[in-house]
């Protein structure tokens, strides 16, 4: 006999299941061993209020992404978490975020965001999740996970009287006291050595919190050593950069490198071009996500599952209260494209941002 | 008849919320339509001070109860579109002024208490938003 509570729970799950593409067609490719799925969750900004209280809105975003990811069928091979798990890098936030993530039924690879880092320079994050940067291989694909939110030593070590202030200064994206993100010479040297062992025909996936491109410096949609990073990656036939931080859909193609951003589970950001006092440019390829509706708190937030085949990523964006989007690599044009809205004539009103 | 109407209007203005501060009193001061460069500078400085206070509020958690700040979701006040107000808001089912939308965001993402329309904090927020949006042409009613 189901009681009311059980009924509500399963009804809730059914509603959830309806919102997720639970099954999808696997396409046949030349190298089936390079055809697999993984999920990508990013930017949850778990924010501590006091005691055991956390900002409910951000908690709900991560809880929902985890629950939906667990429902995927076929199951993803693993999950990548793209950074900014915490808001102000505290133990409370990282512990609470880790606890919510622990409900995931899959192995989870973690990347560092600036909100995780600038309080204690990633020390507590390391205790929970391990190395700040590393690489691994999966079914013939080489994955590199970076800490790409470092900045000038002078800013990190000499500018601020307290660690707490340093974190607060970096936490405001429009704060003129902030400092541009970078990978830095030390990690680039590590990457160079890491990639030296990899054949040029091996597909590469780079997980980075910052975009490894220069999009808009004022909000740190920016990587100071983007050119150096792109030069290291360029020699490989198919490179895929996945980045977080921007809380919005962006994509781009530079040479052999495809770039795709992740949605946040916490809140969406405006596109930089909507700030009237500066000139800024999105990658021209990008068809923006719909403008967010402030009356639905999960609108324009979400997570993505990624089908990797033939060395390229197709990103399925699971947007709440909004149409889902698919940005897939088009082998004919050699670039990522929106499956529905790429053509200028296919754009819709809500994609106009101003 | 005409004179009476004018007297009445003055009475309403004085009795209403907008009270004239002593230094603006016309007695012994410049005539109503005379002002100097020093006046202009001072008025601009007054505006700047209020807009600066608006920016401070924008990036501070004090409008709410959960530590969240407006600037977390609206960097540089982007996506607030002050030039489009008053405008129809679907969920409200009517035309609203921007201060009502400010209160929506105070009550919801910030879990705070709504401000009165003439609260100095509400004025400061609007001054900040208008300043970040300066130069954009007015488009009342645009969604
Ligand atoms: Fe973020
Ligand atoms: Fe970030």
């Amino acid at each position: 006999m189901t009681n009311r509570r059980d009924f509500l729970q399963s009804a809730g799950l059914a509603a959830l299941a309806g919102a997720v593409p639970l099954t999808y067609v696997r396409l046949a490719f030349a190298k089936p061993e390079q055809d697999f799925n993984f999920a990508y969750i990013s930017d949850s900004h778990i924010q501590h209020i006091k005691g055991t209280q956390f900002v409910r809105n951000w908690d709900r975003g991560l809880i929902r992404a985890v629950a939906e990811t667990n429902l995927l069928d076929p199951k993803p091979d693993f999950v990548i978490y793209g950074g900014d798990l915490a808001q102000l890098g505290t133990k409370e936030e990282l512990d609470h975020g880790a606890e919510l993530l622990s409900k995931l039924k899959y192995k989870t690879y973690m990347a560092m965001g600036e909100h995780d880092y600038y309080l204690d320079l990633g020390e507590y994050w390391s205790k929970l999740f391990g190395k700040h940067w590393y690489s691994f291989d999966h079914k013939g694909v080489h994955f590199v996970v970076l800490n790409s939110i470092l900045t000038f030593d002078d800013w990190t070590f000499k500018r601020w009287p307290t660690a707490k202030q340093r974190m607060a200064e970096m936490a405001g994206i429009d704060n003129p006291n902030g400092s541009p993100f970078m990978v830095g010479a030390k990690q680039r040297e590590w990457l160079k050595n890491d990639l030296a062992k990899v054949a040029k025909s091996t597909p590469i996936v780079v997980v980075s919190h910052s975009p490894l491109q220069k999009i808009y410096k004022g909000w740190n949609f920016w990587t100071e050593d983007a050119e150096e990073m792109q030069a290291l990656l360029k020699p490989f036939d198919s490179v895929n950069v996945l980045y977080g931080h921007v809380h919005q859909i962006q994509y781009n193609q530079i040479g052999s490198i495809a770039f795709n951003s992740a949605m946040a589970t916490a809140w969406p950001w405006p596109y930089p071009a909507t700030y009237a006092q500066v000139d800024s440019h999105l990658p021209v390829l990008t068809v923006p996500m719909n403008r967010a509706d402030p009356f639905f708190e999960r609108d324009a937030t979400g997570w993505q599952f990624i089908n990797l085949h033939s060395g390229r990523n197709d990103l399925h964006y699971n947007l709440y209260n909004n149409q889902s989007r698919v940005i897939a690599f088009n082998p004919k044009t050699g670039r990522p494209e929106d499956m529905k809205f790429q053509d200028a004539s296919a754009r819709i009103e809500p994609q106009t941002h101003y | 008849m005409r004179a009476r109407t004018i007297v009445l209007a003055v009475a309403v203005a004085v009795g209403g919320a907008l009270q004239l501060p002593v230094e603006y009193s016309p007695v012994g001061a410049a005539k109503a339509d005379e002002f100097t460069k020093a006046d202009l500078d001072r008025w601009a400085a007054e505006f700047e001070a209020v807009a600066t206070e608006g920016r401070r509020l924008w990036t501070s958690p004090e409008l709410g109860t959960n530590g969240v700040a407006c600037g977390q979701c609206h960097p540089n006040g982007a996506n607030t579109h002050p030039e489009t107000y008053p405008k129809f808001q679907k969920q409200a089912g009517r035309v609203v002024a921007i201060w009502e939308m400010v209160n929506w965001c105070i009550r919801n993402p910030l879990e705070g208490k709504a401000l009165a329309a003439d609260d100095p904090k509400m004025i400061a927020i609007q001054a900040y938003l208008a300043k970040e949006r300066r130069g954009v042409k007015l488009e009342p009613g645009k969604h």
Side-chain angles (χ1 to χ4, degrees), chain A residues 43-45 83-84 114-115 209 244-247 264 267 269:
Chain A
D43 291 87
S44 303
H45 292 263
D84 285 354
E114 80 278 16
H115 290 262
H209 188 71
H245 184 66
V246 296
H247 298 207
W267 68 78
W269 264 329

Side-chain angles (χ1 to χ4, degrees), chain B residues 19-77:
Chain B
Q19 305 231 332
L20 297 179
V22 179
E23 67 258 41
Y24 288 122
S25 157
V27 182
K31 298 273 187 293
D33 61 349
E34 285 173 18
F35 49 87
T36 62
K37 170 84 171 44
D39 289 322
L40 290 177
D41 290 347
R42 171 164 170 246
W43 299 339
E46 294 274 348
F47 171 81
E48 282 305 322
V50 173
T52 302
E53 169 64 2
R55 167 71 188 182
R56 190 191 66 75
L57 288 166
W58 197 254
T59 51
S60 120
E62 76 189 63
L63 295 172
T65 60
N66 59 3
V68 175
C70 310
Q72 250 170 276
C73 297
H74 298 282
N76 292 109

Side-chain angles (χ1 to χ4, degrees), chain A residues 251 287 323-328 337-348 351:
Chain A
Y251 49 100
V287 177
Q323 273 190 69
S324 289
R325 294 264 305 261
V326 182
I327 315 289
E337 290 175 1
D338 188 287
M339 297 289 275
K340 188 165 175 192
F341 302 111
Q342 194 63 41
D343 195 74
S345 65
R347 310 284 165 92
I348 54 174
Q351 292 163 349

Side-chain angles (χ1 to χ4, degrees), chain A residues 20 28 34 50 79 101 126 164 174 250 252 298 348:
Chain A
V20 186
Q34 285 180 0
K50 59 175 191 290
V79 177
L101 280 177
S126 261
K164 207 175 153 191
D174 64 351
Q250 298 179 353
N252 198 11
R298 289 267 68 72
I348 54 174

Side-chain angles (χ1 to χ4, degrees), chain A residues 47 49 55-56 58 87 173-176 219 267-270 274-277 291 293-296 354, chain B residues 55 65-68 72-73 75-76 78-79 81 83-84 89 91 101 104 111 131-134 136 142-143:
Chain A
Q47 189 171 351
I49 302 172
V55 173
R56 183 195 48 79
W58 318 150
Q87 171 65 10
I173 55 161
D174 64 351
N175 180 6
W219 294 351
W267 68 78
W269 264 329
T274 63
Y275 181 35
Q277 305 309 325
R291 266 177 66 194
D293 186 329
F295 293 88
F296 295 92
Y354 64 93
Chain B
R55 167 71 188 182
T65 60
N66 59 3
V68 175
Q72 250 170 276
C73 297
N76 292 109
N79 262 359
H81 307 115
E83 79 282 9
T84 63
Q89 278 287 357
Q91 288 82 355
M101 280 308 294
W104 171 269
E111 300 179 60
K131 188 184 171 196
E132 288 283 34
R133 205 62 176 162
R134 68 195 178 277
V136 176
K142 177 176 175 179
H143 178 74

Side-chain angles (χ1 to χ4, degrees), chain A residues 106-289:
Chain A
Y106 319 103
K107 169 150 185 65
T108 304
Y109 293 97
M110 299 293 295
M112 183 83 76
E114 80 278 16
H115 290 262
D116 307 318
Y117 184 75
Y118 279 98
L119 184 63
D120 66 356
L121 307 182
E123 204 181 303
Y124 192 64
W125 187 96
S126 261
K127 283 209 180 96
L128 293 174
F129 306 122
K131 287 185 177 160
H132 292 195
W133 61 77
Y134 53 95
S135 66
F136 62 93
D137 293 290
H138 186 81
K139 296 186 178 168
V141 176
H142 189 65
F143 283 78
V144 175
V145 181
L146 300 171
N147 177 355
S148 59
I149 52 76
L150 300 173
T151 193
F152 301 107
D153 282 349
D154 207 50
W155 192 94
T156 306
F157 297 105
K158 298 193 184 141
R159 185 91 28 114
W160 307 109
T162 64
K164 207 175 153 191
Q165 187 181 347
R166 176 177 60 199
M167 178 68 256
E169 298 285 355
M170 196 55 110
I173 55 161
D174 64 351
N175 180 6
N177 295 335
S179 190
F181 295 144
M182 60 185 68
V183 177
K186 187 171 152 202
Q187 206 176 161
R188 288 203 311 272
E189 190 57 30
W190 166 83
L191 180 63
K192 205 171 123 191
N193 292 330
D194 182 78
L195 292 177
K197 294 166 259 169
V198 180
K200 296 291 181 280
S201 58
T202 302
I204 312 273
V205 175
V206 180
V207 177
S208 162
H209 188 71
S210 77
L212 303 187
Q213 302 161 84
K214 292 178 165 168
I215 298 169
Y216 175 49
K217 197 171 188 175
W219 294 351
N220 236 334
F221 289 10
W222 190 267
T223 307
E224 188 73 12
D225 47 1
E227 290 88 353
E228 289 93 326
M229 287 300 294
Q230 291 170 16
L232 284 175
L233 298 169
K234 204 170 56 183
F236 292 83
D237 297 342
S238 56
V239 184
N240 308 271
V241 173
L242 299 174
Y243 59 100
H245 184 66
V246 296
H247 298 207
Q248 62 192 223
I249 293 177
Q250 298 179 353
Y251 49 100
N252 198 11
Q253 181 77 32
I254 301 175
S256 62
I257 312 170
F259 295 84
N260 288 96
S261 70
M263 303 295 304
T265 66
W267 68 78
W269 264 329
Y271 283 94
T274 63
Y275 181 35
Q277 305 309 325
V278 294
D279 274 332
S280 65
H281 302 282
L282 263 191
V284 286
L285 258 186
T286 299
V287 177
M289 64 192 197

